[in-house]
């Protein structure tokens, strides 16, 4: 009875954590890209997020190895240095995640938080497509229907007319919804591919999730730094790597770094329905918060599109109960006394 109560508590904790992370990240990224003052470079924020994630995963791996320094160093050397082919394979999602995270910042710069939150759910579609092609998974009929609802909902959201024009912010480029949608769509494609590729890598070797994330972050950092200096070299040279950084930007860095780790932690306690509820609730929170924080105009068309996306999330994650197998009584009947 006590164990069941603890499991229920963990489920509710998982729900709250996942909901807040999904909602707050979108709102925070939007605020961080539209507030006044010196604008931080999104490329450097991506690098710092990977650095924070690396430190966190190293601590978790250290605990996995019984907090023994020798075992910890040996595990890192065996996994990363002695298996160059395996490490090289991880380069693919490392590069993809860096590009994806930069696209998310670009999308947040040109889309309001509510539209960004809804549009980014297209990652369900891209993940399903890559799961079918790469992992040879078969989707159920209601999952195919959910994907149709998802696409229809996102189309309605993107076509929704806002009566309130986008207000330009100082030191910010003019808002371009098409560019923002293109960036979000690109991030969805990369997210789907990287997620399925990473899942295949996890299943193909006996390596923990945290060790895999250490590999990812170690390889992502060089790619991220290359992106920084290729895109923003002039700005970094003139203003420094940490231009525009304050407590809020560091909070955003930690929040983005912890996002994937939080999901990995709660997956064992939250089923698909719970995860779908958390994502759907995050969309609602983003819509309501955007109305007050960013003067977002909620239209009927947008609301209908958001509802279709929410329905698709539940429909895709729904797993019908399998009927209990009927016990074969033919062998036992011959031993029963005849009436």
């Amino acid at each position: 009875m006590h164990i069941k109560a603890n499991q229920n508590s963990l489920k509710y904790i998982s729900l709250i954590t996942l909901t807040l992370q999904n909602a707050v990240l979108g709102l925070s990224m939007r605020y961080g890209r539209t507030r006044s003052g010196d604008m931080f470079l999104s490329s450097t924020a991506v690098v710092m997020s990977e650095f924070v994630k690396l430190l966190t995963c190293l601590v978790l791996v250290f605990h996995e190895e019984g907090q023994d320094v020798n075992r910890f160093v040996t595990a890192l050397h065996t996994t990363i240095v002695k298996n160059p082919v395996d490490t090289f394979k991880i380069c693919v999602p490392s590069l993809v995640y860096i590009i994806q995270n930069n696209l998310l910042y670009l999308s947040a710069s040109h889309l309001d938080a509510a539209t960004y939150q809804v549009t980014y759910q297209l990652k369900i579609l891209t993940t399903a497509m890559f799961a079918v092609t790469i992992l040879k998974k078969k989707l159920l009929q209601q999952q195919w229907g959910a994907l149709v609802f998802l696409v229809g909902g996102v189309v309605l959201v993107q076509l929704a007319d806002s009566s309130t024009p986008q207000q330009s912010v100082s030191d910010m480029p003019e808002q371009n919804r098409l560019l923002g949608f293109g960036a979000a769509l690109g991030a969805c494609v990369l997210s789907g591919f990287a997620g399925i590729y990473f899942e295949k890598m996890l299943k193909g070797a006996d390596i923990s999730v945290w060790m895999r994330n250490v590999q990812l972050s170690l390889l992502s950092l060089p790619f991220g730094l290359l992106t920084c200096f290729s895109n923003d070299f002039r700005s970094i040279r003139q203003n420094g790597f940490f231009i525009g950084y304050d407590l809020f930007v560091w909070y955003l860095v930690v929040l983005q770094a912890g996002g994937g780790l939080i999901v990995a932690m709660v997956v064992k306690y939250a089923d698909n329905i719970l995860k779908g509820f958390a994502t759907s609730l995050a969309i609602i929170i983003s819509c309501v918060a955007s109305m007050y924080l960013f003067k977002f105009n909620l239209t009927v068309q947008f609301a209908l599109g958001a509802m279709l996306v929410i329905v698709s999330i539940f429909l895709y994650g729904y797993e019908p109960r399998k009927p209990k197998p009927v016990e074969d009584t033919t062998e036992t009947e011959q031993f029963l006394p005849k009436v």
Side-chain angles (χ1 to χ4, degrees), residues 22 119-128 150 187-189 191-192:
N22 279 326
T119 304
Y120 191 49
Q121 300 313 311
L122 277 176
K123 63 185 178 181
I124 299 173
L125 172 65
T126 58
T127 301
L150 176 67
C188 289
V189 173
S191 174

Side-chain angles (χ1 to χ4, degrees), residues 18-259:
L18 201 55
T19 300
L20 290 177
Q21 193 276 331
N22 279 326
V24 172
L25 180 59
L27 292 168
S28 298
M29 289 180 70
R30 175 63 179 174
Y31 174 73
R33 301 306 290 169
T34 57
R35 63 180 185 157
S36 59
D38 291 333
M39 178 60 59
F40 68 95
L41 299 174
S42 59
S43 59
T44 64
V46 171
V47 170
M48 294 312 301
S49 291
E50 288 298 325
F51 182 71
V52 171
K53 189 192 301 182
L54 173 62
L55 292 180
T56 305
C57 290
L58 283 173
V59 171
L60 292 170
V61 170
F62 180 69
H63 280 279
E64 277 186 343
E65 298 301 327
Q67 301 183 20
D68 185 296
V69 176
N70 291 330
R71 286 180 56 185
F72 171 68
V73 173
T74 301
L76 290 176
H77 185 265
T78 302
T79 305
I80 299 172
V81 180
K82 286 189 175 181
N83 292 295
V85 175
D86 183 73
T87 302
F88 179 75
K89 290 179 180 178
I90 296 294
C91 286
V92 177
S94 298
L95 177 60
V96 169
Y97 278 131
I98 286 293
I99 300 173
Q100 173 199 333
N101 289 332
N102 278 283
L103 286 176
L104 289 179
Y105 272 107
L106 179 61
S107 178
S109 299
H110 293 277
L111 293 179
D112 57 81
T115 305
Y116 164 86
Q117 188 74 262
V118 175
T119 304
Y120 191 49
Q121 300 313 311
L122 277 176
K123 63 185 178 181
I124 299 173
L125 172 65
T126 58
T127 301
M129 295 295 100
F130 284 114
V132 170
T133 55
I134 296 178
L135 299 181
K136 308 300 180 184
K137 286 187 176 181
K138 293 184 179 181
L139 300 182
L140 302 176
Q141 288 185 349
Q142 82 265 10
Q143 290 178 316
W144 286 112
L147 297 178
V148 174
F149 283 162
L150 176 67
V151 174
V154 172
V155 169
L156 283 176
V157 165
Q158 287 297 324
L159 294 179
D161 294 324
S162 178
S163 59
T164 304
Q166 294 284 344
Q167 296 180 353
S168 61
V169 182
S170 60
D171 301 327
M172 277 293 296
E174 184 181 351
Q175 302 289 282
N176 187 328
R177 286 179 62 88
L178 183 60
L179 178 60
F181 174 70
L185 185 60
C188 289
V189 173
L190 294 178
S191 174
F193 171 74
I196 294 301
Y197 186 98
F198 192 54
E199 180 181 344
K200 190 174 183 180
M201 291 295 295
L202 283 174
K203 292 180 178 179
D206 187 20
I207 300 176
S208 72
V209 169
W210 308 126
M211 183 64 82
R212 279 299 190 198
N213 275 282
V214 168
Q215 287 179 300
L216 273 176
S217 295
L218 275 176
L219 296 169
S220 294
L221 283 174
F223 290 134
L225 289 171
L226 182 63
T227 303
C228 282
F229 291 104
S230 61
N231 294 338
D232 302 306
F233 176 73
R234 180 176 299 178
S235 179
I236 291 175
R237 185 178 62 179
Q238 292 177 351
N239 305 307
F241 192 86
F242 296 106
I243 179 178
Y245 274 64
D246 56 12
L247 286 177
F248 180 83
V249 176
W250 282 112
Y251 144 79
L252 187 58
V253 165
V254 174
L255 185 65
Q256 188 178 29

